[in-house]
Amino acid sequence: MENFKFANPVKIIFGKDTIKEIVKEIPQNQRVLIIYGGGSIKKNGVYDQVTQALQHHTWFEFSGIEPNPHYETCLKAVELINKEEIDFLLAVGGGSVIDATKFIAAAVDYGGDPWDFMTGKSKINGALPFGTVLTLPATGSEMNKGFVITKAATQEKLAGGSAHTYPKFSVLDPETTYSLPERQTANGIIDTFVHVTEQYLTFDNHALVQDYFAEGILKVLLEEAPKVMTKPTDYNVRANLMWASSWGLNDWIGQGVETDWATHMIGHELTAFYNIDHGQTLAIVLPGVMDVQRTDKKEKILRMGKNIFNITEGTENERIDKTITAVENFFQSLNVKTRLSDYNVDEVGIEKIVQRFKDRKWALGERGNVTYDVVKEILQRRR
């Protein structure tokens, strides 16, 4: 296991009827901006619960955060914050709303172009305090410092983060997820699954705690996923999936080990160019990464096959093939298609994505060997 330093300062408030507790977390003299997406929180009762909790606060609202939050939209929120002298932000929604809020919080007092945070031209040196009310388990953003923002003007989707962009608190009430459409539920499960594999499916770091934690999360997803599709209002199922999503990317299982993230970075380009759901892009790309990187990832793929899918028979190569197939079958069992052809991405589309990696000179993966030509091979195998 490698050396590491780690702190996760996020306070989690988990369970039924917990949204009302945000009043205890935000000083009453602070002016609050509620940030949310397309308005589903007004249909499922979450908006009413939040505003009731803030009835003695001075609060404002900003809606319209996209499923892949746009830089341009975030800047409009920054304008409102400065105009109304906002002290505290409250993200109410899924990972996209929370990601946007992190970026907005960091951008408020920055003197330059906040896109600098995404390109690495500038570091985040401070941010407005913010909390979250999670309504869509998927990204783990409610319990980490990271965010992903899309610049619509240039079709770029990049990741950022800072110690300053951890939420002060996050409210996780599983009942808020009862009304989620099947597609969003499936995407969230896949996102969590791939978050775990990006940290687990690399090479053996002799980090048994992290490995067993990762495998535990994956087993929860395999066990609860089919249940939630038939019983979407089963509290215990929703609670397990919500908590699993937080653990999938609260950084605990990524300490002391090498991590990958090639699947996510390739997936981001599919979303940026073709507006394919984030979860769908991951379902397309992960099997290809496992296939092309089968030699480098051999030990962990074999371990995954044995410990997650009970694959123990056959040669090493056969067991690797069976494990990759099992992963793809799991995604397909959630009614998510797993091939580029399912989304009308052809060879021209692949070349456009590959060119972006070539231009950026990115070398991805736990070994830094997923260069643009390897990205091309991964995508071609997923046609």
Side-chain angles (χ1 to χ4, degrees):
M1 193 187 313
E2 299 176 2
N3 294 359
F4 64 90
K5 295 178 181 179
F6 178 61
N8 188 317
V10 183
K11 180 178 182 178
I12 296 296
I13 303 169
F14 190 101
K16 297 179 183 180
D17 197 28
T18 49
I19 292 177
K20 63 186 180 185
E21 297 191 27
I22 62 177
V23 69
K24 303 174 185 177
E25 306 299 325
I26 307 173
Q28 193 171 321
N29 63 348
Q30 294 199 328
R31 296 162 66 85
V32 181
L33 179 65
I34 302 169
I35 300 175
Y36 59 98
S40 62
I41 64 168
K42 291 188 175 181
K43 298 176 183 178
N44 61 16
V46 172
Y47 178 87
D48 290 340
Q49 292 181 65
V50 169
T51 55
Q52 176 66 23
L54 295 177
Q55 62 180 308
H56 298 301
H57 284 76
T58 299
W59 60 269
F60 305 81
E61 61 184 270
F62 181 90
S63 64
I65 299 297
E66 301 85 0
N68 294 286
H70 288 184
Y71 160 80
E72 294 86 350
T73 303
C74 292
L75 292 189
K76 294 177 182 178
V78 171
E79 290 179 11
L80 179 60
I81 289 166
N82 288 326
K83 176 184 175 183
E84 301 295 349
E85 299 181 336
I86 300 297
D87 303 301
F88 195 96
L89 309 181
L90 183 65
V92 184
S96 293
V97 172
I98 298 171
D99 279 15
T101 301
K102 291 176 179 179
F103 179 78
I104 292 164
V108 170
D109 291 326
Y110 181 60
D113 181 353
W115 191 248
D116 292 346
F117 301 148
M118 313 308 296
T119 60
K121 290 182 180 179
S122 183
K123 293 183 178 180
I124 296 171
N125 294 315
L128 274 184
F130 67 95
T132 88
V133 176
L134 181 67
T135 63
L136 173 55
T139 68
S141 192
E142 69 279 0
M143 202 177 175
N144 65 45
K145 62 186 178 181
F147 52 86
V148 180
I149 302 295
T150 297
K151 193 171 187 178
T154 55
Q155 293 185 300
E156 294 177 274
K157 184 176 180 179
L158 297 174
S162 161
H164 298 286
T165 53
Y166 278 107
K168 299 299 181 185
F169 66 86
S170 288
V171 175
L172 281 63
D173 181 349
E175 291 186 326
T176 66
T177 68
Y178 286 177
S179 61
L180 286 173
E182 181 180 301
R183 175 171 164 176
Q184 288 184 319
T185 297
N187 281 338
I189 292 169
I190 292 170
D191 200 7
T192 301
F193 187 98
V194 180
H195 284 156
V196 175
T197 59
E198 296 270 38
Q199 299 165 88
Y200 165 76
L201 205 64
T202 57
F203 53 81
D204 189 2
N205 285 271
H206 306 286
L208 290 178
V209 171
Q210 292 89 320
D211 282 346
Y212 282 122
F213 262 119
E215 289 167 0
I217 298 167
L218 294 177
K219 287 181 178 180
V220 167
L221 297 176
L222 290 177
E223 184 174 331
E224 301 290 55
K227 296 177 188 176
V228 79
M229 294 302 172
T230 57
K231 298 180 179 180
T233 58
D234 185 312
Y235 179 83
N236 289 323
V237 171
R238 288 290 190 179
N240 283 325
L241 290 173
M242 181 171 261
W243 194 220
S245 77
S246 296
W247 270 91
L249 200 56
N250 63 7
D251 295 329
W252 283 80
I253 63 173
Q255 300 307 309
V257 302
E258 293 294 334
T259 58
D260 186 349
W261 304 112
T263 297
H264 269 75
M265 300 311 288
I266 298 169
H268 286 171
E269 300 307 319
L270 284 168
T271 298
F273 281 125
Y274 299 103
N275 201 32
I276 303 171
D277 293 355
H278 179 57
Q280 293 171 341
T281 71
L282 302 179
I284 295 166
V285 176
L286 178 61
V289 170
M290 293 174 69
D291 188 16
V292 172
Q293 294 284 290
R294 63 171 54 221
T295 299
D296 287 344
K297 294 180 180 292
K298 181 178 75 171
E299 285 181 282
K300 296 305 282 287
I301 294 177
L302 291 171
R303 176 175 174 134
M304 178 191 233
K306 178 182 177 182
N307 292 357
I308 304 302
F309 297 106
N310 299 313
I311 296 169
T312 58
E313 296 183 357
T315 65
E316 287 186 346
N317 229 21
E318 288 170 343
R319 281 180 280 149
I320 289 172
D321 285 337
K322 289 177 182 178
T323 302
I324 296 170
T325 298
V327 169
E328 188 164 5
N329 286 344
F330 173 60
F331 296 156
Q332 292 174 349
S333 76
L334 299 172
N335 295 319
V336 175
K337 296 178 180 179
T338 58
R339 293 283 173 171
L340 288 171
S341 57
D342 295 322
Y343 303 91
N344 299 315
V345 180
D346 57 14
E347 188 67 31
V348 174
I350 290 174
E351 289 296 337
K352 184 160 59 172
I353 292 169
V354 170
Q355 186 61 46
R356 178 157 277 179
F357 282 94
K358 187 175 183 179
D359 291 343
R360 290 173 177 163
K361 297 181 173 60
W362 280 358
L364 307 172
E366 66 271 17
R367 300 175 190 272
N369 59 1
V370 181
T371 49
Y372 72 90
D373 52 328
V374 179
V375 171
K376 183 174 183 177
E377 184 179 1
I378 290 167
L379 290 173
Q380 287 180 331
R381 293 195 190 188
R382 301 309 300 161
R383 291 185 61 187

